[in-house]
């Protein structure tokens, strides 16, 4: 039987490209949404797409948040996976550039889906940051175990920095979906996925410059011997697991109208400094040669999460931090060696 056609946004991104790859590998037909025409060749020329491009068609939507933007592209679509979201970047207007766009995108997508009878499920990438107010990080609470029923309601402006705005934007977007479900009672159901700190090899990282971006720029300097002051929550998740969860979430076997936390090593989480133990155990030669330096440190803010519902629903276990970090370190080592070879 021919598989369903799935519409996916955010396919030029770190997680979204892996979602595209897994969906195509599993035989789904994909309608991929990009914002610019030139992004199509960037995607189709990626080595991972070899042999898979016949399964994907592209649609260009320059402004995903414009009302009616999705109206012409949902014909025959059974499921939608919506990952597109702006970065937590510095700007002179956090509400306009970080908080509002995800809400506008959700509205335009969900309103269009109301007019598309073929759509039976929408999967939306939320975040574990929606479980707690940003201010909780400065509290002394290390014992509460947060579940997918928790939702941060401390989202009012003003936003003093990009992180505050991102934190609020993800919580407001998640709440917006709950309200949409109760008010509109759509013919489709919705799953929101709540990844914690996503790590693991990035298919778009081709050199050290493109490697040290986003969360990796916060974590990976530890193996360059850097001592970092600002703590990071000790809740990692492997990017391949996050991507697989997005594709599995369109399957009817996973219950809809639910939110699922995506995080490994739960409930206790990990210590970021254990990255150095992973380096010593799996890459002793690189540690010996100094390519991996074990003198750095990154403080951990402990945060307990319960992802047992997710493991039960998806029927698989999250990859351990040790295995995820081993793969992340392998990508770093390869890029360092490539950069040395090209000098
Ligand atoms: N990475 C993490 O640790 C993490 C953790 C929890 C949740 N998440 C969530 O996971 C999703 C994907 O994250 P990612 O790490 O893969 O991010 P990413 O690499 O920055 O990719 C973001 C994607 O969103 C698109 N996008 C950005 N701004 C947009 C806008 N204003 N309108 C439409 N599309 C826009 C980008 O398209 P262009 O190429 O056209 O800019 C890109 O495809 C996001 O919803 C993010 O909040 C990520």
């Amino acid at each position: 039987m021919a598989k369903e056609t799935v519409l996916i946004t955010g396919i030029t991104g770190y997680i979204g490209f892996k979602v595209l790859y897994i969906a195509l590998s599993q035989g789904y037909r994909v309608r991929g949404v990009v914002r610019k025409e030139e992004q199509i060749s960037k995607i189709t020329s990626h080595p991972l797409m070899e042999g898979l491009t016949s399964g994907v068609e592209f649609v260009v939507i320059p402004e995903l948040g414009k009302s009616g933007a999705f109206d012409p592209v949902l014909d025959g679509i059974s499921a939608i996976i919506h990952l597109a979201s702006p970065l937590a970047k510095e700007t002179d207007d956090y509400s306009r550039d970080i908080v509002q766009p995800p809400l506008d995108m959700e509205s335009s997508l969900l309103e269009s889906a109301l007019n598309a009878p073929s759509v039976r499920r929408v999967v939306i990438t939320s975040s574990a940051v929606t479980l707690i107010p940003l201010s909780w990080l400065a509290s002394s609470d290390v014992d509460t175990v947060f579940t997918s029923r928790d939702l941060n309601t401390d989202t009012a402006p003003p936003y003093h920095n990009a992180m505050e705005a991102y934190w609020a934007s993800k919580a407001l977007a998640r709440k917006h979906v709950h309200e949409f479900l109760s008010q509109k009672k759509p013919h489709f159901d919705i799953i929101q996925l709540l990844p914690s700190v996503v790590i693991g090899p990035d298919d778009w990282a081709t050199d050290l410059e493109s490697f040290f971006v986003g969360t990796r720029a916060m974590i990976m300097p530890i193996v360059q011997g850097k001592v970092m002051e600002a703590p990071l929550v000790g809740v990692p998740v492997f990017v391949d697991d996050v991507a697989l969860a997005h594709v599995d979430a369109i399957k009817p076997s996973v219950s809809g109208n639910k939110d699922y936390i995506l995080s490994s090593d739960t409930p206790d989480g990990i210590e970021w400094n254990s990255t150095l133990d992973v380096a010593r155990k799996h890459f002793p030669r690189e540690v010996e040669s100094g390519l991996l330096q074990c003198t750095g440190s990154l403080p951990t803010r402990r945060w307990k999460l319960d992802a047992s519902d997710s493991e039960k629903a998806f029927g698989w276990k999250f990859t351990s931090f040790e295995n995820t970090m081993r793969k992340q370190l392998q990508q770093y080592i390869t890029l360092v060696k490539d950069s040395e070879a090209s000098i």
Side-chain angles (χ1 to χ4, degrees), residues 304-342:
K304 287 191 179 173
L305 296 176
D306 179 357
S308 55
D309 278 4
S310 314
E311 291 191 328
K312 217 178 286 165
F314 294 117
W316 44 262
K317 298 261 177 219
F318 290 103
T319 303
S320 69
F321 174 69
E322 178 178 340
N323 283 331
T324 304
M325 186 45 84
R326 183 166 58 82
K327 293 187 168 85
Q328 186 71 94
L329 287 170
Q330 182 60 68
Q331 184 179 37
Y332 172 66
I333 291 165
T334 304
L335 293 175
V336 172
K337 288 183 176 169
D338 286 353
S339 78
E340 286 170 354
S342 68

Side-chain angles (χ1 to χ4, degrees), residues 9-16 34-36 39 62 64-65 82-87 97 101 105 125-128 166 170 193-199 215 246:
T9 73
I11 53 175
T12 54
Y14 173 41
I15 304 168
V34 291
R35 293 199 282 175
K36 298 180 200 128
Q39 291 171 320
L64 275 58
H82 174 51
L83 294 117
S85 184
L87 286 172
D97 296 332
M105 278 191 255
T125 322
S126 179
S127 169
Y166 179 74
K170 295 304 279 188
L193 298 176
L194 283 55
S196 53
V197 178
V198 183
I199 54 170
T215 315
H246 280 74

